[in-house]
Amino acid sequence: MPDLPIVLDRAGATPLAVQLADALRAAAAGGALRPGDRLPSTRGLATTLRVSRTVTAAAYDQLLAEGWVTGRVGAGTFVTAVPGPAPTGPGATTGPRPRAEPSVLDPGRPCVAALDPAMWRRAWRAAADPPPDDRPRADGLAPFHEAVAGHLLRHRGLTPPADTVLATAGTSAAVAELARLLPPGATVAVEEPGYPRAVSALRAAGLRVVGVPVDDDGLVVDAVPAGCAAVYTTPAHQFPTAVRLSAARRVALVERARTEDLLVIEDDYDGELRYDVAPLPLLAALAPGHVVHLGTASKILSPTLGVGWVVAPPAVVDAWRDLRARTGTRPSPAGQLVLTALAARGDLSRHLRRLRRELRERRTQVLATARAAGWAVHGDPAGAHLVLRPPEGERAAIAAAAGRGVAVRGLADYHQGTPRTSGLVVGYAAGTRAELTAALAALVGCAAARL
C-alpha cells in the first residue's frame, strides 16, 4: 500500500473510526488507492496512526459493509471498488454514497469467471474454421443437434429423437416463437411468482396469462385452471423461489397434460446445476408427446453465445419450422458452432464439473453469511440463486441495501398480482469471489460476511 496522508483530528467531534473510513474513501476516490491494493493490517495501521486497534477495525468493517474492500482470511484486506466523487451543491450529503457493483447479486447472470480462457479461445477458433455457409439453417446446424442430444443424454437423462431438436436463440426467444404457435387469445398458465420475460413474451403474442401459485413443492398443479392451452413452468429449479417441482406434482402435471391435451412448456434454464442428488426426471422424458423442453447455454456458459435448444413433439416442431419459413426467423449459427466445438473436445463436460464445484462453494458462502447475520435461507441446493429472508422484511432490507450501494430484488418484483411471498432473490454466480464477498457484506450490513 502506498503512503497515505491520513490525518485524524483527535479533538474533533467526529469519531476517529469515521474519520479513518472517510480518509480511505477519499484516497480511493483521488487515485491514491486502486482496486486490488492491499491495505495494512488493522494492527499495523493502528500502530502507524497511534490509535487503538478498535478504531482501525471499526473503519475496515464499515468499508467492508459498504463494499469498498474485501477481507480474505489469512491474506489481508483489499480494495475492491473506487467510490465516485462526493456530491456537491444544494442537498448534498456529507459523505460519498457507496456504489458497490449493483448487479453482482443479480440472479440472471452466469458465472463466466469459471470459464477457462484457453478453452474459450480454442472453441471460438474452431468455430471460425468452417467456410462461410450461404444456405439458411432454420433448424440449426446438424452437428449442433448432435451436440445437444449428447449433452441432454449425459447431463439430463433425455434421449431426444434427431428430428425433435431445434436450435434457438435462447429461452426468451424460444418462448416468444412458441407463443406464436398457440391459438390467438388462448390461455396460458404461468408460475406466480415467475419469470417476467416469459410472461411478457406470451402477452406480446396476444395470449391470456393466468398466474398459478408456487409453494415449497413448486407449481400448485391443482390450481391450474381448466381450459388452458399451455402451462409454462421451471420445474428443476423454480425461478425465482429456487424450489423444485416435487415428484408427485410432476406426475400430476403430465397426467393433466395427457387428459386435457395441454402443452407443458418446460424451461430447464439451469437444470444441469445441482449439488446434492441427481435431478428429478425431465417432464419431457415423462410425457414427450405433450412437453416442449427448453434449454439454454446462457447459464452454463455465457449469454453472449445467444444459443439454446428446444425438444418438442413432432407436430410442434413441424409448426415451428413452418413459422420460421414464413418469417425468415432463424438463430445465428455462431453460438451453435462454439457450443459444438466445446462438446466435441469434452470441454463442455469438464467445464460443467468445474462450474458445479465453484457454484457449490459460492452457495455455501452465501448460506454462511446469511445465517451469521440471522437471516433465513430458502431454496434447493441447485442453480445459482437463493431466496434470503431478513428479519426486518423484504422492503426494509432492500432499502437498507440500497443505502449501502447494493441493488437487490425482492420476490414482489416477480409477481403479476398481489405478492403471496416475500424475500430477497440473491444470485451468487456473477463476478469474482472478492466481488461476491463485498456485495454480500454490504447486503447484510455486518462484518460476518467475511466468513
Side-chain angles (χ1 to χ4, degrees):
M1 170 180 162
D3 292 333
L4 298 174
I6 297 176
V7 178
L8 302 180
D9 181 8
R10 288 168 170 77
T14 303
L16 294 179
V18 175
Q19 292 184 46
L20 177 55
D22 288 344
L24 291 171
R25 286 195 209 93
L33 285 175
R34 294 172 297 180
D37 283 349
R38 180 178 177 175
L39 298 180
S41 67
T42 55
R43 187 184 303 277
L45 186 57
T47 300
T48 300
L49 298 177
R50 297 181 181 179
V51 297
S52 73
R53 191 181 176 194
T54 301
V55 170
T56 54
Y60 279 23
D61 283 346
Q62 178 61 34
L63 296 174
L64 176 69
E66 294 176 359
W68 301 131
V69 301
T70 183
R72 306 176 197 168
V73 177
T77 303
F78 296 81
V79 178
T80 58
V82 174
T88 60
T93 59
T94 56
R97 298 294 291 177
R99 292 186 62 189
E101 171 59 51
S103 55
V104 168
L105 301 180
D106 181 351
R109 290 179 60 187
C111 188
V112 296
L115 284 167
D116 174 38
M119 176 199 76
W120 190 245
R121 289 192 296 269
R122 185 165 59 242
W124 279 98
R125 285 196 297 268
D129 285 343
D133 191 348
D134 62 355
R135 290 168 292 178
R137 306 284 184 179
D139 288 7
L141 304 174
F144 174 75
H145 291 177
E146 295 173 5
V148 167
H151 173 78
L152 289 173
L153 176 61
R154 282 189 296 273
H155 300 286
R156 301 302 284 120
L158 183 66
T159 309
D163 61 349
T164 63
V165 179
L166 295 176
T168 72
T171 298
S172 297
V175 173
E177 285 191 274
L178 179 58
R180 299 177 65 179
L181 303 181
L182 297 175
T187 299
V188 178
V190 300
E191 296 167 330
E192 173 81 349
Y195 184 41
R197 287 187 180 177
V199 173
S200 296
L202 294 168
R203 284 180 170 158
L207 301 173
R208 178 174 175 263
V209 174
V210 176
V212 177
V214 172
D215 61 18
D216 288 348
D217 288 324
L219 179 76
V220 181
V221 177
D222 289 345
V224 175
C228 288
V231 178
Y232 170 86
T233 180
T234 52
H237 190 225
Q238 203 277 331
F239 190 86
T241 64
V243 301
R244 61 175 169 177
L245 189 63
S246 68
R249 289 194 182 169
R250 288 167 186 259
V251 171
L253 182 57
V254 298
E255 285 181 352
R256 285 198 61 177
R258 293 190 182 102
T259 301
E260 302 174 28
D261 198 24
L262 284 172
L263 190 65
V264 177
I265 306 170
E266 177 181 37
D267 185 346
D268 197 50
Y269 68 99
D270 66 356
E272 300 92 342
L273 305 176
R274 188 153 197 98
Y275 316 123
D276 56 349
V277 296
L280 291 174
L282 289 171
L283 299 178
L286 298 177
H290 291 84
V291 177
V292 174
H293 170 84
L294 304 180
T296 179
S298 294
K299 298 300 183 291
I300 59 174
L301 291 168
S302 167
T304 59
L305 290 180
V307 65
W309 51 88
V310 57
V311 178
V316 175
V317 171
D318 289 343
W320 211 312
R321 290 190 180 116
D322 180 65
L323 173 67
R324 288 182 172 179
R326 289 184 286 107
T327 62
T329 303
R330 56 183 178 271
S332 170
Q336 299 174 51
L337 289 168
V338 172
L339 188 139
T340 300
L342 288 170
R345 299 178 61 96
D347 284 339
L348 181 58
S349 292
R350 283 189 288 272
H351 167 70
L352 279 172
R353 289 194 293 270
R354 184 168 56 248
L355 179 62
R356 290 189 191 103
R357 287 194 300 269
E358 174 69 19
L359 291 180
R360 183 188 298 113
E361 292 173 3
R362 290 184 180 218
R363 184 179 185 274
T364 298
Q365 179 184 0
V366 177
L367 290 173
T369 301
R371 288 169 177 166
W375 291 23
V377 183
H378 191 73
D380 269 23
H385 75 277
L386 286 166
V387 173
L388 305 184
R389 294 198 167 99
E392 66 267 37
E394 178 181 312
R395 291 185 180 180
I398 290 174
R404 303 183 194 110
V406 172
V408 65
R409 300 185 70 178
L411 283 173
D413 293 333
Y414 299 94
H415 283 81
Q416 302 302 310
T418 303
R420 299 183 179 90
T421 54
S422 66
L424 306 182
V425 185
V426 174
Y428 47 84
T432 63
R433 289 281 192 100
E435 291 170 329
L436 176 62
T437 299
L440 289 172
L443 176 63
V444 303
C446 74
R450 284 182 289 188
L451 292 174

